[in-house]
Amino acid sequence: MAFTKKPWAEPYRIKVVEPLKTTTLEHRLQCMKEAGWNTFLLHADDVYIDLLTDSGTNAMSDLQWSKMMVGDEAYAGSRSFYTLEEMCRKYYGYKYIVPTHQGRGAENLLSKCTITPGQYVAGNMYFTTTRQHQEIAGGTFVDVIIDEAYKSVSDHPFKGNIDLNKFEKLIKEKGAENVAYITVGAPVNMAGGQPVSMENMKAVSAMAHKYGIKVVLDATRNIENAYFIQQREPGYNNRSVEDINREFCSYSDAATVSAKKDLYVNIGGLVMCNDPDLYDELRSLVVVYEGMPTYGGLAGRDMEAMAQGLIEAVQDETIASRIKQVEYFGKLLQEAGIPIVLPIGGHGVFIDAKKFYSHIPQEQFPAQKLAADIYIECGVRGMERGIVSAGRNKDTGDHYYPELELVRLTIPRRVYTQAHFDVAAYSIIEMYKNRDKARGLKMIYEPKYLRFFQARFEEL
Ligand code: F0G
């Protein structure tokens, strides 16, 4: 192979390994039928390469494991909490830090403390758990992302940006007092891991604050977003990811974080803010749902691993290798003509199921079927991010029909090698040749909340 440019390599080597299991096609077909055509319902032992999520599936470093031993398990006032608090203040810049068991724990607290029933919450595309908590707290989510985000293929470098006109229209229509806050997710998970520019974040912050509306950041993958800013936005190329991340956070009033992503841990979350009154409410409510404000549903050792994970995550070379691995996999598929979301995002490669299975109508769940078929073909597990994930309109009860009908192949951090992605890409490319034969699904069981996790289907 001739090199066309200098290659890159992972900034770590492997010390512990975990064997993978291969299975037969017949076995996987049987497993998928038993799982009701839902990849969430498979037993992980029947999966070969697990690209279901990058959430809690990351490999910790030797230093993180060593920190697990020094975790302080005190019920109150744990030393490990103060270590975590110090690192969060240093790298995110917020004054007040409340740990939670995971991201949705943080969303629950924040939604309950800030939404008055009947209010609206603006945001750049919904995220499943975030919107669910906003709705349970009595809010109505309104999407104000730019239209570009709904196109699976585009050359916009920041498809996650907020459309300021849409945001201002909402404020004028409903009245600023009826908008609880605006959530900025960066990058936007459901749009394919698409980033938000610093310029846009600054403008959103200025507009929101002009009307007295708070800005809440979903900083779950903020470090990935900072890397994209460094790479793509004029004026940021010489700034460190650490520095960019902090500046980005500085335009918000509060943040929720699922530490299971950027922070290289298996469990953990955070809610952070600058307002002492909000902090007071969060601290009061955390004891109801999570635990004392100095552990928030976590073990002391979890907080140690989070603090160390954060230190590692903001290193330029760590984040660069993470994003380049995603890009490597995406390019293999793109170059073979597989319809994927472009630009390639931060945490995974998203296949456009409307194009891949163009003969299956959206109400027959093409992305759900494609995720299942990929598993059956090669043991690679991805997830649906389309009509099933979108759920139903809480007022009319109808399905939402999202523009994007995607299969997400998510890359856990520091877990798989390039060879795993070669194998996965090879099988998907083979499958694409026989795509016309696939049939759609019908839903036979639908749970009330976040249906994509547990819904069951039958092949038509
Ligand atoms: N916000 C974003 C942007 C997320 O991606 C997630 C989780 C959460 C909040 C909720 O955090 O899972 O710790 O409670 N995303 C996972 C995923 C589930 O697979 O994308 P959590």
Side-chain angles (χ1 to χ4, degrees), residues 53-55 102-104 107 127 129-130 189 218 220-221 258 260-261 268 383 385 408:
T53 178
D54 62 332
S55 182
Q102 60 182 81
R104 68 200 73 179
E107 291 166 350
F127 183 69
T129 59
T130 320
N189 191 345
D218 181 341
T220 293
R221 296 183 184 84
S258 166
K260 301 169 73 172
K261 284 81 166 176
M383 73 155 83
R385 294 276 81 157
R408 188 183 76 176

Side-chain angles (χ1 to χ4, degrees), residues 365-433:
F365 313 109
Q368 185 75 26
K369 185 60 173 15
L370 181 55
D373 286 345
I374 291 172
Y375 168 75
I376 294 166
E377 174 72 20
C378 58
V380 172
R381 170 159 74 164
M383 73 155 83
E384 191 262 10
R385 294 276 81 157
I387 185 170
V388 186
S389 295
R392 292 180 185 274
N393 182 301
K394 74 178 166 87
D395 299 321
T396 64
D398 297 334
H399 288 302
Y400 284 116
Y401 286 86
E403 206 48 53
L404 295 172
E405 178 73 23
L406 309 173
V407 170
R408 188 183 76 176
L409 300 166
T410 340
I411 318 295
R413 296 162 190 78
R414 304 194 288 215
V415 172
Y416 293 112
T417 66
Q418 277 187 199
H420 291 115
F421 296 110
D422 291 344
V423 169
Y426 173 85
S427 302
I428 293 167
I429 294 164
E430 285 299 302
M431 261 181 81
Y432 190 55
K433 297 175 187 159

Side-chain angles (χ1 to χ4, degrees), residues 87-97 245-246 249-250 272-274:
M87 289 306 129
C88 289
R89 282 183 178 151
K90 177 170 175 195
Y91 292 116
Y92 292 111
Y94 302 97
K95 281 197 196 113
Y96 305 110
I97 319 293
N245 181 57
R246 214 169 12 236
C249 293
S250 75
M272 305 182 280
C273 67
N274 293 321

Side-chain angles (χ1 to χ4, degrees), residues 190-211:
M190 303 302 281
Q194 302 297 319
V196 175
S197 71
M198 190 73 86
E199 187 189 17
N200 187 248
M201 181 62 181
K202 263 192 232 181
V204 167
S205 177
M207 179 176 287
H209 292 145
K210 182 176 102 182
Y211 288 102

